[in-house]
Structures are given as C-alpha cells and as structure tokens.
Amino acid sequence: MFDGLREKLRSVREVFGTSIQAASTPPAAEGQGAGAGAAPRTGPGLAERVKILVTDGELVLTEKQIQAPLQELEMVLLENDVALPVTDEILRRVKEDLVGKHRSIGQDPGVVILAALRDAILRVLGEGFDLPGYIRARDRPVKILFTGVNGTGKTTTVAKVGHYLKKLGFSVVIASGDTFRAGALEQIGTHAERLGIKIIQHKAGGDPSAVLFDAVEYAGAHKMDVVLADSAGRFHNRVNLMNQLEKMKRVMKPDLVVYVDEAVAGNDAVVRAEEFEKLVGTDAVILTKADMDMRGGAAISVAHTVGKPIMFLGTGQGYDDLMPFTPDLVVEELLGGAL
Amino acid sequence: MLDKLSSSLKDALKKLAGKAVVDREAVEELVRDLQRALIQADVNVRLVQALSQAVKTRSLDEQPPKGMSVREHVLRIVYQELLRLMGSRAEVALGPQKILLAGLQGSGKTTTTAKLARFFQRKGLKAGVICADTFRPGAYDQLSTLCGRVNVPCYGEPGEKAAEGIVERGLAALATSEVILIDTQGRHALEKDLIDEIIRLNQISKADHRWLIIDAALGQQARDQARRFHEAIGIDGVIVTKMDGTAKGGGALSAVSEIQSGIVFIGSGETIDDLERFDPDSFISRLLGMGDLKSLVERAEEAISTEEMDVQGMLRGKFTLRDMYKQLDAVSRMGPLKQIMSMLPLGGADVPSEAIDVTSAKMARYRVIMDSMTAQELDDPNLIGGSRIHRIAKGSGSSPDEVRELLKYYRLMQRALKGMRGGKFNLQRMMRKFSGM
Ligand SMILES: Nc1nc2c(ncn2[C@@H]2O[C@H](COP(=O)(O)OP(=O)(O)OP(=O)(O)O)[C@@H](O)[C@H]2O)c(=O)[nH]1
Ligand SMILES: Nc1nc2c(ncn2[C@@H]2O[C@H](COP(=O)(O)OP(=O)(O)OP(=O)(O)O)[C@@H](O)[C@H]2O)c(=O)[nH]1
Ligand SMILES: [Mg+2]
Ligand SMILES: [Mg+2]
C-alpha cells in the first residue's frame, strides 16, 4: 500500500540530497580556501548564496538551505493523507535533526536525509502491537471491544481477527454488538458461520451491552480464549451513542479497546481518533482498506495523534486480508530500497 | 483542532480587515492560511495550489468594488473560486428514471439507496430498489429491511452470484416502478474485475443516472478514485454521505471538480430521512469553517448603508450606554450576536465570549431597561448609582440586579472596545462591523 508514498519520498530524498550536496560543494568562484578557511567569509553576496559554514571537513546546514526540499517533503506528506498537524510535526523533527548539525563532508547526503526521515516517521509511528503475544500473557478470556465510526470495517475486521486467532489455535467467541443497523445481525452471523466461530446474538434493537455481557459469560463458562465484540458504527459527536458505547465498555470490561478506521480517511481521521480516545479510550488501532490506498498517510496520522500502536492493517475484503503492523517493516518499506 | 485552524484563517483575514488597499504581503499570508484550511478539509493538494494561485492573482489584479473592504474583496474571490470548482448542484428530475449507485466499500451506498427511494416516494413517485450486491453478507437483508420500513419494494436474490442477472430480472420485476434505484457492492479503483462489473451493470440496466457515493471523510484518494469510476461509467452526480460527522468533505469537492459533475444530495445521518439537497453555500462555509459566507457578503453590503455611529468618539474611549443601545438595536435586527459574530470571519476581534453570549431575549430586555434611563444617564453611565438603579428597575419593570447586570455588560463591552485601541486593525471599520453591520 505504501508504494505511492515510497515513490514520492524517494524523489524528495533526492532533492534533499542535491541540496545538501550543493551546500557541501564550495562555489567555484570562491576559489582557494573555500573548504579549509577558518576565517569568516566576508563577501556580502556570498553569505547569502552559500549559507553554509564549511570548517575542517564538516558542514552545518542552515534552515534556509533546506527550505525548498522541506517544502517538497511537506507536499508529499500532505498528498499522501498525512494530516496537516502531523505533517508539521514530522517536518519539525526532520528540520531539528538536520539543521545546525555538523555533518562530515564525506557523508552521503542521502544517508543523512534517510536517517532523519526514518527517525521522524518511526518516532511518529511508535511501536506495533503483538496481539497473539498479548493474549498468551493474559488471563482468559481476553476481551476485545471494537469501536469506530460508520462503515470503516469493524464487522469485517472482527471476522478477520477471529479467523486469524483461530488459525493460531485460540478459541474465539464473537459478540454481535451491533443490534442497531439494518442487516447487521445477518452480516456478522454469516461471517461467523462461514468461519466456524461461535457467535452470541440477541434480537435486533436489543441492548448491545447485554449481548457483550452474555458473550463474556459464555466465554468464561466454556473456557474460551478470546471474546471479540463488534459494535455499531457511531460518530464521535453523537453524545448519546458515545454514552452507549461507554456503557458497553463498562459492562464488558474489555482488556483492549481497538479503534477501527480506514486508511483512506483524510484529516478527519485524527479528529475522530482523538475523540474516541478521549470519550471511550483506545488501546490499539486497526486501519482498514489499505488496499485502496497507495498512500498510507492515515496510518502515520492516527498513530501519531492517539499515540497508540497500530495492530493490523486491513488489506482487502477476504478473511486473510489482515496484516500485522510492524513499524520497522513499514518504514523499511517506505524508505528502504530507496538507497 | 479544526477550530484552531479556521481561527488561524480568521486571524489572517483580520489582518486584511483594516487595509484600504490590497497588500501583497497580507494577501500572501491569507492565501497560505487558506491553503492550510483547504488541505485540512481534505481538498486535493494540487487543486489547492491551483485555487490559491487564482485567489492571489485575482485579489491583486481586481479592484475591490466600491464600499467593499479588502477583506471582503478577498473573501468574495475565495468564495467564487470555490463555487466555480464545485459547479452547480446536479438537478434531480422528478420523473421515471433508473439510477445506478456506485462507490467505495462502506461509503454509504445501501443506506443512501433507501434514502433516495424514500425521497422519490415522498415526491409522489413509485420507487423500487434492486440489491445488486452479491458479495457483502447481509446486503440484501440490510436493503430490504430499510425499504420495508417505508413500503418500498426491494428486489434481490440472496445467494445468487452474478449481479448482472439480478439487475435484468429486477428491472422486469419492478416494471411498474417509476424510479428504480440499483444498489451495488463496494469497489475501488484498483479492483479491475469489479470495475468491469459495474461497467456491465451500467450497460445492462441502461441507467439514466450514475451517482457516485462519497464518504465526507475521504482524503486525497478521492480525486483518483472518482476519476476511475467516471472513466468506467460516466458519473453524473455525487452524493456526499456522513456529513453529520466532523469531516469537511474536501475529498468530495475534489472528486466533483475532477469529474465535472455536481453534488446531488448530502447524507446527514443514519436514518432514512437524513438526506438533504446539496447547498453549495453551506458546503463552502463548512469547508472553510467560517459560518455562512454568502449571507455574510450580502449582509456586509447592507451594512454599509446603516446609520453611522460616533465611531471616532468611541475610539477615543467614549462608549456610552447610548452607543450600546444603538448597537443592541442594530444587532437585534440581525439575529443573535453570537451568530453574527461567527458569521464574520473577522471574528469580532478579541471580544470576550461573555459579551457575545447574550441571548436575543436578554438584549431586548436590556433595551427596555435603557428606555427607562434619562438622556444624562445614557450619555454618562457613571452617574448611575444605587438610587438610580432602583428607579430604573422600577420604571422598566425589572429587578435592580438586572440593571446591575446590564451595567456590567456595558463595562465589559467598553473594556473590549478599549482593548482594541492601538491595535493593529482599522478600528473604524471594526466598529462599523460591530455596531451597524
Ligand atoms: N477493500 C476493503 N474493503 C474492506 C476492508 N475492510 C472492510 N471492507 C469493506 O468495507 C465495507 C464496510 O465494512 P463493515 O465491516 O460492514 O464496516 P463496519 O465498520 O462494521 O460498518 P458499520 O457497522 O455499518 O458501521 C464492507 O463492504 C467490507 O467488505 C478492507 O480492508 N479493504
Ligand atoms: N451518520 C451517518 N451514517 C451513515 C450515513 N450514510 C451511511 N451511514 C452509515 O455508514 C455505514 C455504511 O453504510 P452502508 O450503506 O452499509 O454502506 P455501503 O456503501 O452500502 O457499504 P458496502 O455495501 O459494504 O460497500 C452504515 O453504518 C450506515 O448506517 C450518513 O449520512 N450519516
Ligand atoms: Mg458493522
Ligand atoms: Mg452496501
């Protein structure tokens, strides 16, 4: 999914590289002493043009000098759905990392940039989340509640995660926590049946908290490993619906609240992620529909905003289209091979 | 967060507020903030660049119309340019027709199909729907449940694998329906088989319209996705769903500008009646997070003709109850102060929120109280002590506390105005906004 972003980042890196290289190459007109001169340079136009101090084989980058490539990087991030505040943050970090630092002249500018960028994005992405490891370390049943706004892929993701855990040998029960949306019971019921996963359902219109409660009871009585609770999609600005979710959480006492959003969402992704985190809490994030997306900026934005790990990426509508999210690998995919 | 952003746009606009001539630097700053606002609203980055270039050029080249401030001049250009991008809203024929709905997974097609059936039904047309989604579990149950609630017939064949046949048989089964809506499974630009399928469904159904359903939160993807759908089936209308959330719909705007077809409806909730005709003005206002721009421009024009106040005097710190009376009077003709303030991108400078949060009922009350004051008192509020307060209260049928509250409000306003003195804006302009508008 990150193809687009990777492509673009590669070209930005080149721009950065050129800019640094230009900075480290003393202008020909200056002739002698350009590299070694300890004496401050005095040519009036020169200070403007060169904007760099070259001393003893080291160079110091100035802000002005990397301004153009930084702007380019900004464009690339924005075009790839990295939300504006997050873009600002990444740029700040890259800048911090580059400006004013002494770099030895022999150092490949590409490496310098790559390191700065990798560092910035890695810090923003935080750590991944090892779900099987987490489950193994906890008391059973491990209860997981899925939340998110309408249509992001919660129900499908519950099915996928159920399938994934089942393949790893865990016993799973699904709680059909969306009793509201038309067709919701049939949808998740079909998924569970196809996957051979036990499901707890109540009538349409029933209290979702009661469903969750029953599922947890069932899991306890049958010594199941994991309870996966679906919930109806809801917007963070609907107070009563958020209160209902709060109640579901109180009743279920989940070990994990997993917030599901789609990788193709734009700037609103950070707004709602923040609200969900504030109103019901979020322990980990799953981003779906990454197969639509050649960009992947939402991953960076959401991870940064809620400061919670991304657990999986949804990469299609099939049950196997679920990819554990490992920041190192993602960054490797983004920036690796770029050298 | 978005509020912060739109307020930065407001700040930039404030800087323009006092300017008599268009100032390149200020325009550039405004355009930079405009860019950020639009990007944050998910308008395509390339589109934002083109748009801001146009705004810059026009703002500097064109002469502001007489009586219009530089700020209003620039705002109006921004508004016009956005309007141009968006095109007019797509019209809806109220007659027999077949409409094919397409869009990304989870964008809201099925819900919108039912909403549309309801819309046409209310217009007195016989509506019917076909569920051509053969993939999503429960797709037929979802659509037929929604339609069943409003007695719209829903054709579907759960379990059938080929959507083409369903559409053919559905059209035959719904032969007596005047408006037929065809719901399809979610798909995206990279799914070639599914794009091919929608092309076939379009051919088989001979749909009169092909509407693309776009989630208001869709990001930079929107343009490319829309283009692919457009290439495949020729989209002639867009519906933006989930506008009841906090997303701004800039992706949908980019899509519309890319495929040159208007927005037909806005989805604003989960229930079947949550469908609204598209209104470009409120869409743009929301996009920029700045209140109703169109009425701002209209009202700003009226404003210029309203009575002048002793603005110069007020700027010198002479703000009397009489001035406040005029102010409240002007304001009460225009609706709640808060609403007006929020309509002004100027943001009313640093007026404290207590000063703005006055209900119109309260304002009316204040005026009644002031009607019981003497001319002297109105000109010199310092005269009003304990006994006068009681007299005024009695005369206006209010309590002394209410009179005190009014005086407190007056002092708040006076302080706010004083605070503006020596500020960087043009105070005269500001005052006119504040009082006469
Ligand atoms: N392409 C793609 N589609 C997906 C992915 N995950 C889910 N979907 C599709 O997105 C649509 C919505 O998914 P649901 O699982 O119903 O979403 P939800 O969040 O449960 O929706 P509500 O319960 O209505 O709020 C379905 O058509 C899914 O097949 C994914 O990773 N990639
Ligand atoms: N709040 C709100 N929710 C909406 C709106 N339109 C649709 N939804 C919700 O969004 C979710 C997805 O809607 P669907 O109609 O199932 O979407 P779809 O495009 O048919 O999904 P697929 O068929 O899986 O591609 C559901 O939870 C709907 O209730 C809207 O305007 N506002
Ligand atoms: Mg669901
Ligand atoms: Mg559907």
Side-chain angles (χ1 to χ4, degrees), chain A residues 154-155 178 181 187 230-231:
Chain A
K154 293 173 293 300
T155 304
D178 181 356
R181 209 205 63 228
Q187 183 188 10
D230 191 15
S231 68

Side-chain angles (χ1 to χ4, degrees), chain B residues 13 16-17 19-23 27 30 54-81 293 296-297 300-301 304 345 429 433:
Chain B
L13 280 162
L16 277 180
K19 300 255 158 68
V21 286
V22 183
D23 167 334
V27 167
L30 171 71
V55 168
K56 196 155 35 178
T57 315
R58 283 189 56 195
S59 301
L60 295 170
D61 286 357
E62 293 173 18
Q63 197 62 13
K66 258 212 159 44
M68 185 173 275
S69 71
V70 170
R71 185 182 57 81
E72 284 159 342
H73 167 63
V74 176
L75 249 190
R76 168 178 283 201
I77 291 171
V78 169
Y79 178 73
Q80 286 169 342
E81 287 295 320
L293 282 178
L296 160 79
V297 173
E301 271 155 18
I304 297 164
R429 181 78 219 163
K433 279 267 153 262

Side-chain angles (χ1 to χ4, degrees), chain A residues 3 22 77 110 120 158 197 231 258 264 273 310 329 333:
Chain A
D3 295 358
L77 294 173
V158 165
I197 294 175
S231 68
V258 175
V264 286
I310 297 179
L329 287 181
E333 200 186 319

Side-chain angles (χ1 to χ4, degrees), chain B residues 275-286:
Chain B
L275 188 72
E276 294 166 16
R277 287 311 312 277
F278 169 66
D279 169 29
D281 304 315
S282 56
F283 192 86
I284 292 177
S285 297
R286 176 183 169 123

Side-chain angles (χ1 to χ4, degrees), chain A residues 149-152 154 178 180-182 187 232-235 238 289 317, chain B residues 103-113 115 133 136 139 142 146 183-187 213 215 240-245 266-271 274:
Chain A
V149 301
N150 302 85
T152 54
K154 293 173 293 300
D178 181 356
F180 172 75
R181 209 205 63 228
Q187 183 188 10
R234 69 198 71 223
F235 274 121
R238 292 289 301 277
K289 308 184 193 177
Q317 301 192 80
Chain B
L104 299 178
Q105 283 91 351
S107 55
K109 294 171 295 301
T110 305
T111 311
T112 307
T113 302
K115 289 177 180 179
D133 179 350
R136 174 165 158 173
Q142 185 185 5
L146 292 172
D183 181 24
T184 60
Q185 87 165 80
R187 70 198 75 226
I213 313 299
D215 187 320
V240 190
T241 60
K242 310 185 197 175
M243 284 291 277
D244 49 321
I266 296 289
S268 55
E270 290 194 73
T271 69
D274 295 326

